[in-house]
Amino acid sequence: MTASSSVVAERDETGRIFYTTVGHSIDIPAKKTARTTDTSRNRLFNEKALQALGRNISAIFLPAEYPNTVTPGFGVGNVSASATQALLLLVLKDVCSRFTTIIGAYYFGTSLYPETKTFRFLADVINDTSIVLDTISPYFTSISLSTTSPYIPSGSTLQIAALCMSGAMRSLCSLVAGGSKAALTDHFASPVNGKGDLGTLIVPYITTRTSIYTALFFLVFGHLLANYLAVRSVILRSFNRQRSSILWSTFRNPKAGADGRSVCLTPRDVSNREIILDILSRIRDAVADRVIGHCSLGVSVQYAMTHYNTPHILKMLQHFQEEPYVLFVAESRSWGRRGPCILVSFKEGYGSLDQLRVWLHALEIAAMWSTRHMRPSVTSPSEIEDVVLSTHETLGKEFSGFMRCMKEAGWNIEEGAMTMRVV
């Protein structure tokens, strides 16, 4: 019999057109066909099944329409790229990642537990940023910022910088996410860690550059929004800088409660007023919702001497002789900062309760500084010392009642930590 044939033009995933012939035009004698025996039964494996399995594996692990879409030798990307260049780039990315891990652990190590919610969301932001950098890095090779100055990176240099930054961010994400996750696991009695695999559902529909970046935008936005809402819903009962500021500002505000009574907010009330991403050194008046100063805990006296004059250092050392901490105050001269700049040095044997006391003391100083509208040009050293002494006396009178009120409101007064070394 004679079978008809036809040619079909098709377009693959890369847009290349290829042709497929369907049918044969070969005369097959009937007698010969009748005498033909099926030899596939005598084989251990079916050849068609093995071919199908091979095609499936190739479709999963090889580029679309391989080998027509790759250069000879399977050199994906730049044809002129060598193994040595790839190895050097890998080493450079690894060096950036290791340095980022070490530096991040030094600066953020003591902040991960008290600022759990901030760093848990920050880890997602850093991770998504690294994904975006990886996605757009191939287009950096065509960017030329300057054709005259050799010091301005362009082209492949920008791509290398983007890849190194991406690797550094991924390492920082692992550090921050691991530390904050440990704190959240310690908070919840039965932590539930579940993640869906949305990518496998939408990947078959992403075939163009527009669909790739559209999907990337919506996935990143959805991921950050979902994690922001998840972090926002977490209610912590321990003290940190921001929660302590909200509690103390409300407790000390006579207008907050009925009949002038002090208000004791519950952990749920404070959780609704927390700012997820904020600068840790800021002293914020929760009632007026504004920044009134900056404070850094755990600095050395040697560091404080580079920011304050010697008479002020000696006065503060004498005044806080019986306290487990020493507090130094001056007008902030940094650009964009308002209110006093407060540095705190701790003595040997201090505890978490002492950290809370000195943070509340700094908050009282910043509040009085803001109320009096003190300025460096008209503020004398004696006025600054008067503010420190009067607020210290106020703290001594109100602190015990504040802690008793917090315990009744459901706060864990035995557990608390403040972020250290934030300058």
Side-chain angles (χ1 to χ4, degrees):
M1 58 179 290
T2 302
S4 61
S5 63
S6 59
V7 179
V8 179
E10 299 179 278
R11 190 185 299 273
D12 60 16
E13 298 176 1
T14 63
R16 185 177 60 89
I17 298 177
F18 64 98
Y19 301 92
T20 304
T21 302
V22 181
H24 302 278
S25 57
I26 303 175
D27 293 332
I28 304 176
K31 293 182 179 180
K32 187 176 180 179
T33 303
R35 290 194 301 268
T36 302
T37 57
D38 187 6
T39 59
S40 62
R41 298 180 180 178
N42 300 326
R43 298 178 181 177
L44 182 61
F45 298 102
N46 191 336
E47 185 177 358
K48 293 183 178 180
L50 291 176
Q51 292 176 352
L53 179 61
R55 286 193 299 269
N56 291 335
I57 295 176
S58 299
I60 294 174
F61 295 101
L62 294 178
E65 297 303 319
Y66 175 84
N68 298 320
T69 55
V70 299
T71 58
F74 200 10
V76 179
N78 188 359
V79 181
S80 62
S82 64
T84 304
Q85 292 174 338
L87 180 61
L88 291 176
L89 178 59
L90 181 63
V91 171
L92 185 59
K93 290 174 60 178
D94 189 58
V95 169
C96 293
S97 301
R98 298 300 176 89
F99 272 108
T100 302
T101 302
I102 296 173
I103 297 174
Y106 175 78
Y107 281 102
F108 301 134
T110 58
S111 308
L112 298 179
Y113 188 85
E115 306 296 338
T116 302
K117 299 172 70 172
T118 296
F119 283 102
R120 176 59 264 183
F121 181 67
L122 184 61
D124 298 314
V125 175
I126 296 174
N127 179 67
D128 290 352
T129 304
S130 67
I131 294 175
V132 172
L133 284 176
D134 284 338
T135 306
I136 65 176
S137 61
Y139 301 100
F140 287 166
T141 56
S142 59
I143 298 177
S144 179
L145 298 180
S146 176
T147 57
T148 57
S149 177
Y151 301 103
I152 300 178
S154 299
S156 59
T157 306
L158 279 178
Q159 184 183 27
I160 294 174
L163 293 175
C164 292
M165 187 178 299
S166 172
M169 286 185 172
R170 194 169 286 108
S171 299
L172 185 60
C173 172
S174 301
L175 171 70
V176 173
S180 57
K181 181 181 179 181
L184 289 176
T185 303
D186 185 45
H187 170 71
F188 292 107
S190 301
V192 179
N193 298 321
K195 291 186 178 180
D197 196 0
L198 181 60
T200 57
L201 299 178
I202 66 173
V203 164
Y205 303 98
I206 300 177
T207 57
T208 63
R209 181 182 300 179
T210 303
S211 62
I212 289 175
Y213 289 105
T214 302
L216 177 65
F217 171 78
F218 282 105
L219 287 176
V220 169
F221 177 78
H223 176 246
L224 294 179
L225 178 61
N227 282 277
Y228 175 81
L229 296 177
V231 170
R232 169 65 67 185
S233 65
V234 175
I235 301 175
L236 299 176
R237 298 172 55 244
S238 59
F239 294 118
N240 71 346
R241 292 187 177 213
Q242 187 175 178
R243 289 189 286 272
S244 302
S245 299
I246 296 173
L247 291 169
W248 182 260
S249 299
T250 309
F251 179 82
R252 291 278 294 139
N253 184 22
K255 300 179 181 179
D259 301 329
R261 297 180 181 179
S262 299
V263 176
C264 302
L265 298 178
T266 63
R268 181 177 296 275
D269 297 331
V270 174
S271 177
N272 296 330
R273 301 174 62 175
E274 281 187 88
I275 300 176
I276 301 300
L277 292 179
D278 195 12
I279 299 177
L280 301 180
S281 62
R282 283 179 175 175
I283 303 177
R284 187 180 295 273
D285 184 358
V287 178
D289 192 19
R290 59 191 179 95
V291 178
I292 56 177
H294 291 78
C295 178
S296 298
L297 305 180
V299 303
S300 64
V301 177
Q302 183 180 10
Y303 178 83
M305 292 180 64
T306 61
H307 291 72
Y308 306 106
N309 55 56
T310 303
H312 178 74
I313 298 289
L314 295 176
K315 283 284 186 180
M316 294 299 102
L317 289 173
Q318 181 181 2
H319 175 70
F320 292 99
Q321 188 173 2
E322 303 297 328
E323 294 286 353
Y325 62 87
V326 183
L327 185 146
F328 309 101
V329 184
E331 173 71 20
S332 176
R333 291 180 172 85
S334 300
W335 182 84
R337 289 190 174 187
R338 63 179 63 180
C341 177
I342 302 173
L343 299 181
V344 178
S345 300
F346 288 102
K347 300 179 182 178
E348 186 178 1
Y350 75 93
S352 59
L353 195 62
D354 300 319
Q355 294 181 8
L356 177 62
R357 281 179 57 90
V358 73
W359 178 256
L360 299 182
H361 190 181
L363 180 59
E364 275 291 311
I365 292 175
M368 182 174 291
W369 194 288
S370 176
T371 302
R372 295 185 178 183
H373 302 286
M374 301 174 67
R375 294 292 184 268
S377 57
V378 296
T379 303
S380 62
S382 59
E383 290 179 311
I384 296 178
E385 295 168 8
D386 178 64
V387 170
V388 174
L389 295 178
S390 60
T391 52
H392 190 204
E393 183 179 355
T394 301
L395 181 67
K397 295 179 180 178
E398 301 288 342
F399 186 74
S400 59
F402 171 76
M403 297 302 293
R404 183 170 56 253
C405 182
M406 294 302 105
K407 186 176 182 179
E408 295 174 355
W411 290 92
N412 186 1
I413 62 175
E414 303 296 333
E415 179 183 358
M418 301 292 173
T419 304
M420 308 291 283
R421 294 196 307 266
V422 178
V423 179

